[in-house]
Amino acid sequence: MTTGEQPSGKQPDGGERTMKLRAPVVSTKGPVLSLVINTWRVSLLFIFWHFVSALVWLRSHTRLPKWLGSDSREVGVRLWTIAWLTFVWVLLWGTVSWANIIGGVVLAVAVLTVLPLPRVPVEGRIHPLSLARLVVRLVVDFFVSSLQIGWMAIRPGRPPLGAVVRVRVAIKSDMVLTLAVDYLNLVPGTMVLEIDHRRRMLYVHVFDVRSEKKVRAFYDQVAYVERMFIKAFERDSEWHPSPYHGIDEDFHHVRPIQPVAGAQSADIPTATPETSRSDRGES
């Protein structure tokens, strides 16, 4: 009989089978090591419990300054502004040091406290994939438009016909509208001259509108920019208006639009390629 085996015995079915005994589990840790491990676990639980309790106490007894914001999105924008001003301060000094970083933070907080800017509503949600597609399209449009304008400058023939074209967008947030305007301004050949804030109307100077095809290409570009910015920042299913939505109207004392007697609608229709040259404001 081998060690660790039990003598064979009768089974209910009459057969005989050798049954092996499982070896007892013997701990290889000494009493001192086990005491240290248990003490470490209890210490982690103790620290985690008091850390969570401290966070709950701070949340219920601490109030953020008014200039920092009233919700998480506003606080995020303010913290990003402080970080950006600190980064610019360090760049101006040209040396990365703790003194410059701390001085930049103090200066940024002082600027936001003493010279507060109008609150910008932060609405919607960022979608990284749609934003990445938008950035890639911006780079492609930048290079293609640069080549087209360069060819226009050296090719023989009559100079291109520029015009101011009116186009309406369905972007709701002021911040997203500003980003869309920056997009159009970065692409060579287009420059936003005026923004009708109430009607969400843009007046854009287009470099070349000699044919209906080129005008249609411009409208397709604006439609793509509008669609991608809405997908990246303010989808209808995730749109949550900020409590500061419409603050620009209050700040600038913008009066509501009064409908004109006999007019069909108070809104201006979106421009089309067949818009007359006088309506487009040819330059």
Side-chain angles (χ1 to χ4, degrees):
M1 181 186 304
T2 59
T3 305
E5 294 183 356
Q6 185 181 10
S8 61
K10 294 288 185 178
Q11 299 296 326
D13 55 354
E16 294 184 2
R17 183 173 58 185
T18 302
M19 300 178 63
K20 295 183 179 181
L21 295 177
R22 179 178 296 177
V25 178
V26 180
S27 176
T28 58
K29 303 175 183 177
V32 178
L33 183 59
S34 298
L35 179 62
V36 171
I37 293 176
N38 292 332
T39 304
W40 171 251
R41 292 174 179 173
V42 173
S43 300
L44 286 180
L45 292 176
F46 179 82
I47 294 173
F48 180 76
W49 175 264
H50 284 78
F51 177 73
V52 175
S53 301
L55 291 180
V56 174
W57 185 88
L58 288 174
R59 183 179 179 86
S60 58
H61 291 80
T62 304
R63 292 184 179 181
L64 295 175
K66 293 182 178 180
W67 59 266
L68 195 58
S70 58
D71 57 2
S72 59
R73 293 181 293 183
E74 296 291 336
V75 172
V77 171
R78 295 291 177 174
L79 293 179
W80 166 254
T81 305
I82 293 175
W84 175 253
L85 292 177
T86 304
F87 175 72
V88 173
W89 179 259
V90 173
L91 285 182
L92 291 176
W93 280 99
T95 303
V96 180
S97 63
W98 284 111
N100 290 337
I101 294 176
I102 295 175
V105 172
V106 173
L107 183 63
V109 173
V111 169
L112 293 180
T113 305
V114 180
L115 303 172
L117 297 174
R119 294 185 182 273
V120 178
V122 181
E123 300 157 317
R125 183 178 299 176
I126 298 178
H127 292 268
L129 294 180
S130 299
L131 182 60
R133 289 180 56 190
L134 189 61
V135 172
V136 172
R137 178 61 182 265
L138 172 62
V139 175
V140 173
D141 288 345
F142 183 83
F143 282 101
V144 172
S145 299
S146 299
L147 294 176
Q148 292 176 349
I149 293 179
W151 170 246
M152 288 288 181
I154 62 176
R155 71 175 182 84
R158 300 178 59 183
L161 173 63
V164 176
V165 183
R166 181 183 60 189
V167 61
R168 187 176 184 178
V169 295
I171 298 176
K172 299 183 287 293
S173 172
D174 292 338
M175 177 177 288
V176 179
L177 179 62
T178 303
L179 294 177
V181 170
D182 292 339
Y183 183 105
L184 295 175
N185 289 337
L186 287 174
V187 176
T190 56
M191 176 64 67
V192 179
L193 302 179
E194 185 179 350
I195 304 174
D196 189 340
H197 176 78
R198 297 291 294 175
R199 295 182 174 87
R200 285 297 191 262
M201 198 79 68
L202 305 179
Y203 294 85
V204 187
H205 180 270
V206 185
F207 182 72
D208 187 13
V209 291
R210 291 176 301 170
S211 63
E212 182 179 351
K213 180 180 179 181
K214 293 184 179 296
V215 177
R216 177 56 61 186
F218 164 74
Y219 279 104
D220 292 341
Q221 179 188 14
V222 174
Y224 177 83
V225 171
E226 174 190 4
R227 183 171 63 253
M228 290 306 301
F229 268 97
I230 291 176
K231 290 182 62 177
F233 295 102
E234 52 178 38
R235 301 182 182 183
D236 292 336
S237 59
E238 300 170 351
W239 173 257
H240 300 288
S242 169
Y244 302 102
H245 186 79
I247 194 172
D248 288 341
E249 292 93 337
D250 299 333
F251 182 78
H252 295 288
H253 305 287
V254 178
R255 297 180 179 179
I257 301 174
Q258 300 295 334
V260 180
Q264 296 180 356
S265 174
D267 295 334
I268 299 178
T270 305
T272 59
E274 293 79 16
T275 305
S276 62
R277 182 171 299 181
S278 60
D279 190 22
R280 287 182 297 176
E282 177 184 349
S283 61

